[in-house]
Amino acid sequence: SAVISQKPSRDICQRGTSLTIQCQVDSQVTMMFWYRQQPGQSLTLIATANQGSEATYESGFVIDKFPISRPNLTFSTLTVSNMSPEDSSIYLCSVEVAGGFSEQYFGPGTRLTVT
Amino acid sequence: GQQVMQIPQYQHVQEGEDFTTYCNSSTTLSNIQWYKQRPGGHPVFLIQLVKSGEVKKQKRLTFQFGEAKKNSSLHITATQTTDVGTYFCAGRRGAQKLVFGQGTRLTINP
């Protein structure tokens, strides 16, 4: 298993600003992911954070809007840029500990409200 | 693209009643996982099924993977208030990303 922390846990931001969310894992992991979850909805994968290279984005998500860094095997950041109210959501970091496409462990999430 | 459909979207039961949620994929899956998300919490991994026709049990929870590896179910026997939450299935096809179903929100009347 893995213990994952995220900062901040929640924030209220003004439109047009940017917020960087941090994800810290207590052990080295191969795969790290960023998801978005609207209240009462399912999880939507934003991107896979790749260590030492550019993140792999899913359809509908672009690097300019959601830049991601992953400087090492235990840490990643997601920035939500030029925010609008539509970006209000819960952002979740997750990891796969074992290889071979195993289960995912999720961080506690960051609740973002854009006014 | 790969889609994972989950029904029902909501289920309200009396405590002690059984509960089942169903998951269907448009394509054959390599494996399927189940997660539980308590209100205000984050998804927590419950189990992974890999083999065709596989059945696994965790206390009052029974998980099944269909013979064609396109559908799965989670059945809870004699629900308790601690079972409240949203249950998500998530399927994977080969080396592709994990795709989550819409989830089934379970509420229980004590």
Side-chain angles (χ1 to χ4, degrees):
Chain A
S1 64
V3 177
I4 304 167
S5 60
Q6 279 186 239
K7 288 195 288 187
S9 58
R10 58 178 63 224
D11 207 341
I12 300 173
C13 302
Q14 291 189 340
R15 68 172 69 208
T17 63
S18 297
L19 176 71
T20 295
I21 303 168
Q22 299 180 5
C23 176
Q24 179 73 54
V25 191
D26 68 340
S27 59
Q28 292 186 343
V29 295
T30 305
M31 306 295 287
M32 293 183 77
F33 307 92
W34 287 99
Y35 287 85
R36 184 169 72 182
Q37 185 177 33
Q38 306 281 4
Q41 301 297 314
S42 186
L43 295 100
T44 301
L45 182 63
I46 298 172
T48 302
N50 301 309
Q51 193 264 330
S53 64
E54 190 173 290
T56 304
Y57 289 85
E58 296 300 312
S59 176
F61 298 96
V62 295
I63 188 171
D64 290 345
K65 176 67 176 177
F66 297 101
I68 288 170
S69 79
R70 188 169 175 200
N72 56 53
L73 294 177
T74 64
F75 185 78
S76 178
T77 67
L78 167 75
T79 299
V80 186
S81 304
N82 188 24
M83 289 184 284
S84 66
E86 292 71 34
D87 294 321
S88 297
S89 189
I90 298 171
Y91 292 85
L92 293 147
C93 166
S94 80
V95 303
E96 286 182 2
V97 175
F101 309 108
S102 62
E103 67 272 21
Q104 292 190 10
Y105 295 90
F106 286 83
T110 296
R111 183 180 293 272
L112 171 62
T113 302
V114 183
T115 61
Chain B
Q2 179 185 337
Q3 290 187 332
V4 176
M5 307 299 292
Q6 194 174 349
I7 57 170
Q9 188 175 2
Y10 303 98
Q11 184 78 58
H12 180 78
V13 301
Q14 289 289 125
E15 187 175 15
E17 292 182 339
D18 293 355
F19 159 76
T20 304
T21 173
Y22 301 90
C23 189
N24 289 285
S25 170
S26 56
T27 58
T28 302
L29 300 170
S30 302
N31 60 60
I32 196 157
Q33 299 174 4
W34 286 90
Y35 293 80
K36 177 183 179 181
Q37 186 173 25
R38 294 180 185 272
H42 57 276
V44 174
F45 172 77
L46 293 177
I47 208 159
Q48 177 170 276
L49 304 171
V50 178
K51 300 176 182 177
S52 169
E54 189 170 15
V55 178
K56 287 188 176 180
K57 293 190 176 183
Q58 289 181 349
K59 298 182 179 178
R60 294 178 294 104
L61 278 62
T62 302
F63 305 84
Q64 293 188 338
F65 200 10
E67 294 290 340
K69 300 183 74 172
K70 285 188 173 182
N71 56 74
S72 181
S73 65
L74 158 60
H75 179 81
I76 302 178
T77 303
T79 55
Q80 300 175 359
T81 55
T82 54
D83 295 325
V84 165
T86 300
Y87 292 85
F88 292 98
C89 63
R92 196 192 303 273
R93 183 183 179 192
Q96 296 181 14
K97 65 177 181 179
L98 199 61
V99 176
F100 282 81
Q102 299 94 325
T104 296
R105 182 181 173 190
L106 173 64
T107 55
I108 297 174
N109 200 23

